[in-house]
Amino acid sequence: MALARKIIIDTDPGQDDAFALLFALGSPAELDVVALTTVGGNVPLPLTSRNALQLVELAGRPDVPVFAGCPGPMVKKLKTAEYVHGPTGIDGLEAPDPVTPLQGQHAVNFLVDKIMSEPEGEITVCSLGPMTNLGMAMALEPRIIPRIREVVLMGGGFFQGGNATPAAEFNIYVDPHAAHVVFESGVPLAMASIDSTYTALMTPEWIDTLRAVGTRTAVQAANMADFFRRYGSHKFATEARPIHDACVTGFLLAPHLFQQKQCNVTIELMSPETIGMTLVDWWHVTGRRKNCNVLGRIDADRFFQLMLERLSTLP
């Protein structure tokens, strides 16, 4: 029997981050969640860190350590998204204040130390927010780069444009310079862009089915989903909404559910109109090295069935 894949989840919860975390924590046979590292993104760092602690406690996994990282991007000022996620970042959740403390070590130092101490190719980094922590870790200690098995991220867009600006998806837009470091590093990359996540639409009926599981985690996840689903009604023709970051966990568990294409992807840094754009060389016209596995359409029915099964195992 294969050992569970060791992952570090770098996150800025966010209701969709919450689903990604719970999905992973409900899959211990396949995914060993070594730690969570938090970054300023959807909401400021104190809230993303608090949210991460609440979520590991909700899942009955306070043993998973949480390390707070960078409060803002490498170069730009932080842009947050309370208008999507609510003032807490995980509005809809009804949970007590966390009692589990944050770890004392900075997330960037933890990433360096942990990746250097594990065998080469052992650690996968799952990036669910701005890539500041990982970009800073690579700049601080470049020797971690060949030791990382893979970076699987939610971010970017191409055919769908952006959701933070006409050109840029939120996670990449918040810290394009960190994303540039990661994309140019040579580390194996898989990117769940909004072109992919917009095909994983969470329906009201699925949320009702999740709530009917009746466990604390299932009910609270459904509450968060209800809040999150209210955003974007002007964008989508149905009542279904994408659950972006959960696609990272879904890909790790069931990559066969995703269309995939190896492409060269670069990050636009110069233009004020298109900064943060992920420029995907879909037809390989540049001849540049194909540095990223670009994820496409998802088999949504099987994806949501798998997520329901795994969330149902949590307390």
Coordinates of all heavy atoms in Angstrom, one line a residue, residues 95 186 241:
A95 N -18.2 28.8 15.0 CA -17.3 27.9 15.8 C -16.7 28.8 16.9 O -16.5 30.0 16.7 CB -16.2 27.4 14.8
G186 N 11.7 26.5 -11.9 CA 11.9 25.2 -12.4 C 11.2 24.1 -11.6 O 11.3 22.9 -12.0
R241 N -22.1 27.7 -7.9 CA -20.9 28.6 -7.8 C -19.6 27.7 -7.7 O -19.7 26.6 -7.2 CB -21.0 29.4 -6.6 CG -22.2 30.3 -6.5 CD -22.2 31.5 -7.5 NE -23.3 32.3 -7.4 CZ -24.4 32.2 -8.2 NH1 -24.5 31.2 -9.1 NH2 -25.5 33.0 -8.1

